[in-house]
């Protein structure tokens, strides 16, 4: 059962230390969409403020996404929140180089960082 005292900050700390998303979210009867929305916003803010690396943010968002898409109950009963999808997409955009970009282009800086900034501005977080 999900710990009712979990905060997104606590989950983020657990994720960065021990990659425990599956253990934290594994058995709730209802999909904790508010928790993962808040977690996504915190990940975006921490990345924007350079408090976590791109690799950590991408890892967290991939774990959130992977947890959701591999759980049939959640897929059938709960849409992934738009904010989670948008934050995941921003980190996903930095995972690969595009053929049209020069090899010196850092996809994280060219694609992820501006998308995260846009995401946070839209939510009035920056």
């Amino acid at each position: 059962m999900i710990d009712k005292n979990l905060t997104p900050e606590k989950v983020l700390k657990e994720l960065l230390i021990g990659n425990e998303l599956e253990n934290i979210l594994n058995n709730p009867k209802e999909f904790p969409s508010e928790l993962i929305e808040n977690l996504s916003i915190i990940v975006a803010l921490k990345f924007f403020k350079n408090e976590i690396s791109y690799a950590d943010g991408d890892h967290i968002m991939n774990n959130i996404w992977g947890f959701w898409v591999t759980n049939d109950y959640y897929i059938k009963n709960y849409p992934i929140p738009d904010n989670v999808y948008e934050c995941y997409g921003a980190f996903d955009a930095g995972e690969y180089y595009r053929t049209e970009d020069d090899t010196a282009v850092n996809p994280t800086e060219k694609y992820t960082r501006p998308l995260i900034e846009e995401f946070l501005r839209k939510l009035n977080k920056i």
Side-chain angles (χ1 to χ4, degrees):
M1 175 169 267
I2 195 163
D3 179 350
K4 295 188 187 291
N5 295 318
L6 282 179
T7 63
E9 290 85 358
K10 182 176 179 183
V11 173
L12 183 59
K13 182 178 178 187
E14 293 290 327
L15 286 170
L16 290 175
I17 293 171
N19 189 23
E20 297 294 328
L21 181 66
E22 187 172 347
N23 292 333
I24 291 168
L25 300 177
N26 197 30
N27 295 311
K29 292 185 185 200
E30 292 188 15
F31 189 71
S33 52
E34 183 179 342
L35 178 66
I36 66 166
E37 273 193 281
N38 290 337
L39 180 58
S40 297
I41 293 166
I42 289 169
V43 169
L45 278 168
K46 288 189 174 291
F47 173 73
F48 180 78
K49 294 176 180 179
N50 295 309
E51 294 174 3
I52 63 171
S53 68
Y54 167 79
D56 285 337
D58 187 53
H59 183 73
I60 293 166
M61 294 311 301
N62 282 335
N63 281 327
I64 291 171
W65 189 262
F67 174 80
W68 182 79
V69 300
T70 59
N71 189 309
D72 288 339
Y73 176 76
Y74 297 145
I75 288 173
K76 291 176 185 172
N77 294 292
Y78 300 96
I80 195 155
D82 290 341
N83 289 338
V84 176
Y85 183 79
E86 189 171 347
C87 187
Y88 167 81
F91 279 98
D92 192 53
E95 288 182 352
Y96 59 93
Y97 292 89
R98 279 89 170 156
T99 56
E100 67 270 12
D101 287 340
D102 183 86
T103 56
V105 169
N106 179 336
T108 299
E109 294 304 316
K110 183 173 182 180
Y111 299 103
T112 300
R113 197 161 293 282
L115 288 170
I116 290 294
E117 183 175 351
E118 180 182 328
F119 170 70
L120 293 170
R121 286 193 191 285
K122 183 178 78 174
L123 296 173
N124 295 316
K125 298 295 181 181
I126 57 172

